[in-house]
Amino acid sequence: MIAEDTAEPTATRPVVRLRPKAEARAIRHGFPWVYADELVTDRRTQALAAGTICTLEDDARRPLATVTVNTKSKIIARVLERDAGAVIDRAWIAGRLARALELRARLFDEPFYRLVHAEADGLPGVIIDRFGDLAVIQPNAAWAEAMIDDLAAALAEVTGVQTVVKNGTGRARGLEGLPEETVVLQGAVTGPVAVPMNGATYMADVLGGQKTGLFFDQRPNHAFAARLAQGARVLDVFSHVGGFALACLAGGAESALSVDASGPALDLAGQGAAAMGMQARFATRQGDAFATLEALAAEGAQFDLVICDPPAFAPNKQALQAGLRAYERVARLAAPLVAPGGYLALCSCSHAADLTQFRNASARGIGRGGRRSQLLHTGYAGADHPMLPQLAESAYLKALFFRLD
């Protein structure tokens, strides 16, 4: 049952204040976060429940914004509204959702996309992926966890979806001090959801799969790879549910081999290929990606297009150097598998590795693999994954497309 609206009157809202050395101007100009060392954290502030909605003031006690506070997080406050008197309730959420929906309706002919991309869509820490009449919410900030019933109700009201799933898993929730939980909030889930994208059909496990069940962010990179794949032999490593492989088959590939460590993910990829009527041109190979790349080289395998889309090897600064070495190793092992004149696509979803670092690691790996390369194209997440300009330098998804001699 959906709860009643949980907004609090602004007159009784707690007040939190920036320290004198904090940069209030950044908040005024649209920066969405306050870090723990920028906020006065007296006993009153420390006692606030995670996700409490507060009025933020600068060090001179001038109102700055309406924020949500979580003292357990390094991002101690997230800006909800630059209006310090804003009422944060179900109607406010519905307004943000309607704005997000209007953009996606312009971008896509069918309702399969990322509907809400956190801060950039004005709902900090909230991810919502839409799969037709089903939607998956990832409430990755404490305020969204506290208002999950309002989020679900507003989502159904604005979009008309019949089923709403809460996916409460992942590293981001751990950083907020939130427990892991996946539950169906409205409607029912009877099995994998068929998702049309780039002419391919994907099967998304919205309850047990990675993230929300499918990676919509790679849509434009799938499309670019498909253009290179006409008549090609394709190898898709770290394939998940067949992301690049199925798009390439839809684009006219001669054959596609998906490699992944997850048997269930490869089963879903096979179901997608069958739904497309292309199972005869599709094969899977379960195993560790690095070991499989080495085994394919030992077998003398060659492909016209090789794509490697690994998980985030560098999710934070502490893992950066090890992550860059892993990206270099992927490129070194993949390059020899590309036939002369063929193509290699290398992807990174690591926030900590910027484009220059990732590109340099990839180029080193290709060179160490004995190949010369020509960089053709750099891809990013699609337009349903917008970014705030203030955070654009931290764009997480990068896809590099090379032609190899």
Side-chain angles (χ1 to χ4, degrees):
M1 182 175 177
I2 298 300
E4 293 301 317
D5 204 309
T6 57
E8 296 183 10
T10 58
T12 61
R13 221 157 51 187
V15 175
V16 293
R17 191 166 64 257
L18 292 178
R19 294 182 178 181
K21 292 185 179 180
E23 184 55 82
R25 183 170 57 182
I27 300 295
R28 291 192 180 97
H29 292 174
F31 194 75
W33 300 331
V34 178
Y35 296 105
D37 61 356
E38 297 177 313
L39 198 72
V40 175
T41 50
D42 53 20
R43 282 185 292 180
R44 180 182 55 81
T45 300
Q46 290 286 358
L48 293 172
T52 298
I53 295 170
C54 303
T55 297
L56 175 68
E57 297 180 342
D58 64 15
D59 63 309
R61 299 184 183 275
R62 292 172 296 201
L64 275 177
T66 297
V67 299
T68 172
V69 173
N70 183 358
T71 59
K72 298 181 178 68
S73 174
K74 290 182 179 179
I75 301 174
I76 196 169
R78 298 172 185 263
V79 176
L80 295 170
E81 277 277 8
R82 287 160 68 182
D83 174 5
V87 175
I88 307 303
D89 57 9
R90 187 179 300 174
W92 177 86
I93 294 170
R96 293 295 168 98
L97 290 171
R99 183 175 182 272
L101 178 63
E102 190 275 336
L103 171 63
R104 277 67 179 185
R106 288 178 179 270
L107 294 173
F108 303 106
D109 294 329
E110 298 180 277
F112 297 88
Y113 40 66
R114 173 147 296 179
L115 175 64
V116 170
H117 196 54
E119 276 76 356
D121 282 305
L123 291 168
V126 177
I127 299 295
I128 302 177
D129 282 348
R130 183 175 183 182
F131 304 89
D133 64 358
L134 180 152
V136 180
I137 305 174
Q138 287 187 303
N140 293 331
W143 80 273
E145 180 73 16
M147 296 187 70
I148 187 63
D149 288 337
D150 286 321
L151 271 165
L155 178 62
E157 173 191 331
V158 169
T159 66
V161 297
Q162 300 299 305
T163 301
V164 179
V165 175
K166 169 190 164 184
N167 182 320
T169 63
R171 177 175 174 271
R173 284 178 64 86
L175 295 175
E176 284 277 300
L178 299 173
E180 294 209 348
E181 177 189 48
T182 295
V183 61
V184 179
L185 299 175
Q186 294 181 224
V189 178
T190 58
V193 179
V195 179
M197 188 164 60
N198 288 321
T201 300
Y202 297 91
M203 304 303 294
D205 180 358
V206 299
L207 292 180
Q210 292 185 42
K211 302 291 186 179
T212 63
L214 194 68
F215 298 114
F216 284 126
D217 54 1
Q218 286 283 22
R219 186 192 321 245
N221 301 317
H222 289 166
F224 190 85
R227 292 183 64 85
L228 301 176
Q230 297 177 36
R233 300 161 295 170
V234 175
L235 172 64
D236 180 13
V237 186
F238 305 99
S239 182
H240 189 223
V241 296
F244 280 94
L246 298 184
C248 288
L249 286 174
E254 175 187 301
S255 63
L257 172 62
S258 281
V259 174
D260 202 272
S262 168
L266 291 177
D267 288 343
L268 289 170
Q271 292 176 39
M276 297 163 61
M278 296 185 179
Q279 59 267 48
R281 292 154 55 192
F282 179 70
T284 64
R285 187 156 171 170
Q286 184 180 357
D288 173 79
F290 294 104
T292 303
L293 287 169
E294 291 174 337
L296 287 169
E299 295 163 15
Q302 290 275 277
F303 301 89
D304 304 299
L305 171 61
V306 175
I307 307 110
C308 297
D309 183 17
F313 287 145
N316 52 52
K317 291 182 179 179
Q318 292 74 24
L320 177 58
Q321 293 308 313
L324 291 174
R325 288 193 295 271
Y327 287 123
E328 180 179 331
R329 186 184 176 201
V330 168
R332 175 175 61 82
L333 294 175
L337 297 175
V338 179
Y343 303 95
L344 173 63
L346 300 170
C347 304
S348 166
C349 59
S350 293
H351 286 273
D354 65 26
L355 176 60
T356 299
Q357 291 168 320
F358 174 57
R359 186 172 56 224
N360 289 344
S362 298
R364 283 194 304 271
I366 292 170
R368 290 185 63 200
R371 305 298 292 275
R372 293 180 59 212
S373 63
Q374 176 186 28
L375 180 60
L376 300 179
H377 175 68
T378 301
Y380 302 95
D384 54 343
H385 291 63
M387 293 177 290
L388 289 178
Q390 296 86 349
L391 302 178
E393 289 301 314
S394 63
Y396 70 102
L397 181 62
K398 287 82 67 174
L400 304 176
F401 291 83
F402 299 90
R403 187 176 186 184
L404 303 191
D405 292 335

